[in-house]
Amino acid sequence: MASSTEQRRTETTSSTRIAAGLILGLACFAAVLTGGIFVGQTIGEALSTLQTIAPVQVDPLR
């Protein structure tokens, strides 16, 4: 049977792993959210640029 000291170490290690996993998960979520916002703004700017260009400028053979 495991002693109480070993049991506490196991519980502490488990809690530490859970906390580290949550922190890592939140960091990844924040990175994905930030990247999504950046890409969304970039795509929006690209689309607004395309809307202001006349079709002749895009395809002169038209």
Side-chain angles (χ1 to χ4, degrees):
M1 183 171 200
S3 68
S4 60
T5 305
E6 290 175 9
Q7 189 175 9
R8 282 189 207 133
R9 278 190 204 148
T10 304
E11 289 173 1
T12 303
T13 303
S14 180
S15 297
T16 304
R17 287 181 180 175
I18 290 170
L22 288 173
I23 291 169
L24 184 63
L26 288 174
C28 289
F29 178 72
V32 167
L33 191 62
T34 303
I37 290 170
F38 177 73
V39 169
Q41 289 176 347
T42 306
I43 290 173
E45 290 173 5
L47 288 176
S48 66
T49 303
L50 284 177
Q51 289 175 355
T52 58
I53 296 174
V56 175
Q57 292 174 330
V58 175
D59 188 6
L61 301 175
R62 205 170 196 192

